C-alpha cells in the first residue's frame, strides 16, 4: 500500500535568488536538522512578539527561514517557488514539510486590521498538531515596515540528524510522533536512482531508521507516518555525503513540467507530465484507465469541497474506493496534491521521495488522474496508480 501527499503550495511572499541570502548575506547550512529548537522571545521586537503570540509555538529554524524571506522582500525579489521555501527551511535545520509564508508591508503593518488578516491566514488551531511559527520584521526604504510569518504544523519532531556525513557512514533517523500513528517508514532519495525505504522500527511513539549513503552526493530523507487521513510526510531533511552543501543555480523543474505549454484539459496535462517523468527514467508509460480516472476525480472533488488534503476524507482509503468501484488490483498507490497550477503540483510530487516512488514504481501499469478546481481556481490533484505485476 503506497500512498502520500506533498506540501500544499499556497505560499505568499518574496524570496532571494539562489544562493539564498539572509540579513547578513548568503546563509550557511546548519550542522544539524532537529526540532524543536527554542528561541529567545525577549530578542523579538514588539511587532514580532505580537505576531508570534497569535501563532502559538515557535522554532529557531522557522525564524531563520522568515529572515531569509524578509531579506528577499526588502530587495524586491520575486514570489518564491515552494521548493525555494523548503530549501531555506532545510538549510536552517528545520525539518517540517508544508511550510507556508505570509508577508505584510506598509506603514500600518502593526495595525489591528493587519493582525486580523494574520489571524485569518493562520486559521483556527487544530486539535492535535502543534502550530509553530517563525517571525521576522524589517524597515523598507520608503519608511514602511515588513512583517514575515512562516508557519508549520508539527506532527512529529526530529532528533538531531547531521547535515554532513561521510559516504558509507551510518546515519540514524529518530522521529517522535506528536499525534497518534499506526506506523511509518523512512524514505531516502539519493543523487540518482529511485527512492528507497530504510529499515525502520516503530514502538508506537518513536520511529527509528538507519541508512548509509552509498556514494558522495545529496540525500533527501523523508519520514512518513500513518496518521488519521492516511500516510503523510511529517518530517524532511537533507544530508550531504562527502561534499559541502550546495545551492542549485535556480529552482529546477520536474521532468515533464514543460508539458504545461498548450491548452489541454487539466487531467490530460497531468497525465502527460506523469508519462514524461517516467520516460525520463526509461520506464514504460502507464495506461490511462477511465475507471481509475473516475475514482480519482471523485476523490479530488471531495477534497476540494472539504478543503482538506488527505487520502481519506470520509470516502475511505484508495483500496476502499477501488473496491467500491468494483475494481481490483494487486498493487495500488495514490498521490494527492493541492497547488495553484498543475505544473507546481507535479513538481511537488516529483521532489517528494515518497511520491516520486509512486511515480516510478515498476509494479504499476495503469493510471487514473483527477483534477478539480476550487472557487479560487486552485487545483486539487489525484494520481491513482494500479498494477498486477
Amino acid at each position: 500500500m503506497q500512498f502520500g501527499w506533498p506540501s500544499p503550495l499556497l505560499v505568499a511572499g518574496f524570496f532571494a535568488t539562489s544562493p539564498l541570502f539572509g540579513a547578513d548575506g548568503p546563509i550557511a547550512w546548519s550542522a544539524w536538522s532537529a526540532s524543536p529548537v527554542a528561541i529567545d522571545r525577549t530578542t523579538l521586537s514588539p511587532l514580532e512578539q505580537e505576531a508570534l503570540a497569535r501563532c502559538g509555538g515557535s522554532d529557531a529554524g522557522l525564524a531563520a527561514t522568515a529572515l531569509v524571506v524578509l531579506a528577499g522582500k526588502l530587495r524586491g525579489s520575486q514570489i518564491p517557488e515552494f521548493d525555494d521555501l523548503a530549501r531555506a527551511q532545510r538549510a536552517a535545520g528545520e525539518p517540517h514539510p508544508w511550510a507556508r509564508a505570509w508577508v505584510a508591508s506598509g506603514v500600518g503593518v502593526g495595525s489591528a486590521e493587519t493582525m486580523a488578516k494574520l489571524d485569518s491566514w493562520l486559521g483556527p488551531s487544530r486539535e492535535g498538531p502543534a502550530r509553530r511559527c517563525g517571525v521576522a520584521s524589517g524597515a523598507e526604504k520608503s519608511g514602511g515596515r515588513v512583517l514575515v510569518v512562516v508557519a508549520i504544523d508539527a506532527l512529529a519532531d526530529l532528533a538531531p540528524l547531521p547535515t554532513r556525513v561521510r559516504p558509507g557512514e551510518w546515519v540514524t533517523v529518530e522521529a517522535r510522533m506528536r499525534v497518534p500513528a499506526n506506523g511509518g517508514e523512512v524514505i531516502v532519495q539519493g543523487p540518482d536512482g529511485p527512492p528507497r525505504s530504510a529499515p525502520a522500527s516503530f514502538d508506537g511513539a518513536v520511529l527509528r531508521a538507519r541508512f548509509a549513503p552509498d556514494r558522495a552526493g545529496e540525500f533527501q530523507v523523508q519520514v512518513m507516518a500513518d496518521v488519521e487521513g492516511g500516510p503523510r510526510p511529517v518530517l524532511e531533511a537533507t544530508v550531504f555525503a562527502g561534499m559541502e552543501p550546495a545551492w542549485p543555480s535556480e529552482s529546477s523543474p520536474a521532468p515533464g513540467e514543460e508539458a504545461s505549454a498548450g491548452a489541454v484539459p487539466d487531467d490530460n496535462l497531468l497525465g502527460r507530465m506523469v508519462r514524461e517523468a517516467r520516460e525520463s527514467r526509461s520506464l514504460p508509460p502507464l495506461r490511462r484507465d477511465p475507471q481509475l480516472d473516475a475514482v480519482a476525480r471523485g476523490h479530488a472533488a471531495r477534497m476540494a469541497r472539504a478543503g482538506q488534503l488527505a487520502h481519506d476524507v470520509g470516502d475511505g482509503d484508495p483500496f476502499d474506493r477501488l473496491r467500491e468501484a468494483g475494481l481490483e488490483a494487486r498493487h495500488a498507490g495514490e498521490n494527492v496534491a493541492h497547488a495553484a497550477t498543475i505544473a507546481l503540483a507535479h513538481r511537488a510530487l516529483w521532489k517528494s521521495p515518497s511520491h516520486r516512488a509512486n511515480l516510478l514504481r515498476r509494479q504499476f501499469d495503469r493510471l487514473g488522474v483527477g483534477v478539480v478546481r476550487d472557487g479560487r481556481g486552485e487545483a486539487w490533484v489525484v494520481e491513482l496508480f494500479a498494477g498486477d505485476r
Side-chain angles (χ1 to χ4, degrees):
M1 186 180 299
Q2 303 94 19
F3 310 145
W5 61 75
S7 55
L9 312 180
L10 306 180
V11 177
F14 292 78
F15 209 75
T17 55
S18 298
L20 304 182
F21 289 82
D24 301 319
I27 63 174
W29 281 76
S30 171
W32 302 89
S33 294
S35 67
V37 179
I39 66 170
D40 182 359
R41 294 196 180 208
T42 64
T43 63
L44 302 179
S45 70
L47 175 61
E48 293 165 348
Q49 291 190 33
E50 181 178 1
L52 194 56
R54 293 171 181 271
C55 177
S58 61
D59 190 278
L62 292 172
T65 305
L67 278 171
V68 174
V69 178
L70 173 67
K73 173 64 174 75
L74 294 176
R75 282 193 299 273
S77 297
Q78 298 298 311
I79 294 175
E81 300 287 5
F82 77 93
D83 45 347
D84 282 331
L85 187 67
R87 192 77 168 178
Q89 278 182 271
R90 304 301 164 253
E94 208 296 309
H96 293 96
W98 299 36
R100 51 198 183 111
W102 180 86
V103 177
S105 62
V107 294
V109 164
S111 67
E113 181 182 2
T114 301
M115 291 297 111
K117 290 180 179 179
L118 175 58
D119 289 339
S120 177
W121 177 80
L122 286 169
S125 294
R126 291 182 293 169
E127 188 174 341
R131 186 171 60 202
R132 296 177 190 161
C133 290
V135 299
S137 65
E140 295 180 302
K141 292 180 180 178
S142 62
R145 299 286 298 175
V146 178
L147 174 65
V148 174
V149 180
V150 177
I152 56 95
D153 284 328
L155 276 67
D157 279 317
L158 183 68
L161 179 71
T163 300
R164 301 167 179 82
V165 300
R166 299 183 305 275
E169 178 182 349
W170 284 99
V171 179
T172 299
V173 181
E174 183 174 305
R176 180 172 297 277
M177 299 300 143
R178 298 179 55 85
V179 295
N182 296 320
E185 65 176 328
V186 173
I187 300 174
V188 180
Q189 172 67 61
D192 52 44
R196 59 187 177 90
S197 182
S201 63
F202 182 59
D203 63 9
V206 179
L207 176 68
R208 294 181 178 88
R210 299 184 74 205
F211 76 96
D214 57 357
R215 75 203 78 173
E218 179 179 330
F219 290 77
Q220 303 296 327
V221 181
Q222 185 179 66
V223 178
M224 298 286 294
D226 188 1
V227 297
E228 182 180 4
R232 60 165 285 178
V234 294
L235 295 167
E236 296 175 347
T238 303
V239 174
F240 294 90
M243 64 175 289
E244 283 300 305
W247 296 104
S249 59
E250 58 185 8
S251 295
S252 56
E257 193 174 324
E258 65 278 3
S260 60
V264 298
D266 284 341
D267 55 351
N268 289 343
L269 177 59
L270 182 62
R272 185 190 304 172
M273 290 180 179
V274 171
R275 182 182 69 246
E276 294 188 12
R278 287 178 62 88
E279 287 177 353
S280 74
R281 296 301 186 267
S282 301
L283 292 173
L286 303 174
R287 175 174 60 84
R288 280 286 295 277
D289 185 322
Q291 292 177 294
L292 292 178
D293 280 349
V295 176
R297 192 176 304 113
H299 187 60
R302 192 164 186 127
M303 290 194 302
R305 287 194 300 269
Q308 179 184 359
L309 193 68
H311 294 293
D312 185 350
V313 284
D315 53 351
D317 67 29
F319 277 103
D320 293 331
R321 288 183 263 116
L322 288 174
R323 284 192 293 267
E324 181 69 21
L327 302 174
E328 294 184 359
R330 184 178 180 183
H331 304 283
E334 180 175 80
N335 289 341
V336 297
H338 174 206
T341 68
I342 304 301
L344 283 178
H346 176 67
R347 187 188 300 184
L349 292 167
W350 179 257
K351 295 201 172 187
S352 165
S354 57
H355 302 89
R356 186 184 298 193
N358 274 346
L359 286 164
L360 302 181
R361 204 172 297 278
R362 293 181 178 273
Q363 292 92 334
F364 297 148
D365 54 26
R366 305 190 300 282
L367 170 69
V369 296
V371 180
V372 172
R373 298 278 182 171
D374 60 22
R376 295 178 294 187
E378 295 158 0
W380 297 79
V381 166
V382 177
E383 297 172 346
L384 184 57
F385 306 91
D388 298 311
R389 296 175 182 172

